[in-house]
Amino acid sequence: MSTAVYPGSFDPITNGHLGLIKRGLEVFDRLIIAVALNVRKEPCFSIDERLDMIREAVNNHPRCEIDTFEGLTINYAADKGANVILRGLRAVADFEYELQMANMNKKLNNSVETMFMMTEEEYFFVSSKTVKEVASLKGSVKGLVPTVVTRKLAEKFGSPVD
Ligand code: ADP
C-alpha cells in the first residue's frame, strides 16, 4: 500500500492545495495531510482553525487523513509508514527550495521519496500568502479557496463572501 504525506502550513488551505490532494488520491492509496506545528512564520489562523477548514474542505474522504506534526517532516513520514512526501510546484521560484529540501530529506532517510506534482494552471498564482493579502485588502478570493475559507477570511478581514 502506498502512503503519501502532504506536509505544509495550510494557512489557510487553498484550491491549489485541494487540487493537489485530489490528484494525490488518484495516485496513492492513502494520503496524510500534515499541518506543520513548528513554522517560523507567524500564522494567520490557529492550528485548530486550519484543521477545521481542511476537514470541511476535504469532507471525510475515506483514504485521506488529517494530522499535525512537529519536527522533521521526514521523521514524521517514516513514523507514519509513508513511502512518499508529496509537494507541489508552482513557479520556478518554488524549485530551488524544494530541490534543497528533497535532497536533504533523502540524505536524512533514503527510504522516503519526495514526489512533486505541478500546479494546475488555474491555480499557479494561488498561494496562502497571496490569498491572505487580497482578503486583508478586502478583495474577493472567490474560486481560489474553498467556501469555508472564504467565510473565515471574511470574518477575519471583512473581505467579500462572494
Ligand atoms: P509550506 O509552508 O510548507 O510551503 P504551504 O501550505 O504553503 O506550505 O504549501 C504546502 C505545499 O503545497 C507546498 O509543496 C506548496 O508548493 C504546495 N502548494 C501551495 N499552493 C499550491 C498551488 N496553488 N498549486 C500547487 N501546489 C501548491
Side-chain angles (χ1 to χ4, degrees):
M1 190 173 85
S2 60
T3 299
V5 165
Y6 179 35
S9 340
F10 304 100
D11 185 34
I13 187 165
T14 69
N15 284 348
H17 292 129
L18 269 184
L20 220 78
I21 292 164
K22 287 202 188 96
R23 288 157 67 209
L25 281 163
E26 282 165 21
V27 178
F28 303 106
D29 299 317
R30 180 171 160 239
L31 185 76
I32 304 171
I33 305 170
V35 185
L37 295 175
N38 53 338
V39 204
R40 265 160 294 146
K41 40 197 175 186
E42 188 62 37
C44 174
F45 291 101
S46 71
I47 284 288
D48 286 341
E49 287 176 310
R50 279 181 270 162
L51 290 171
D52 283 347
M53 287 186 274
I54 297 171
R55 271 189 214 109
E56 197 164 328
V58 171
N59 196 13
N60 275 332
H61 191 288
R63 290 186 291 110
C64 188
E65 287 169 35
I66 300 157
D67 196 8
T68 58
F69 74 103
E70 248 172 328
L72 289 171
T73 308
I74 191 81
N75 290 351
Y76 171 78
D79 286 349
K80 284 290 184 178
N83 21 28
V84 166
I85 292 174
L86 177 66
R87 297 285 291 174
L89 284 179
R90 280 158 297 189
V92 189
D94 283 340
F95 181 81
E96 200 174 330
Y97 173 72
E98 294 291 345
L99 178 70
Q100 279 180 9
M101 285 307 295
N103 283 307
M104 178 59 86
N105 282 333
K106 195 79 189 161
K107 187 95 190 147
L108 292 167
N109 184 337
N110 197 25
S111 62
V112 181
E113 199 65 52
T114 304
M115 296 185 75
F116 297 96
M117 280 188 180
M118 304 302 289
T119 178
E120 290 153 294
E121 63 178 337
E122 66 261 51
Y123 301 129
F124 81 93
F125 61 96
V126 177
S127 67
S128 301
K129 184 165 173 246
T130 51
V131 156
K132 282 180 286 194
E133 267 168 20
V134 169
S136 71
L137 298 169
K138 311 229 185 308
S140 169
V141 290
K142 193 172 181 228
L144 306 181
V145 293
T147 319
V148 57
V149 176
T150 312
R151 206 170 63 229
K152 291 290 284 182
L153 286 167
E155 279 168 23
K156 202 165 274 274
F157 296 116
S159 49
V161 280
D162 49 21

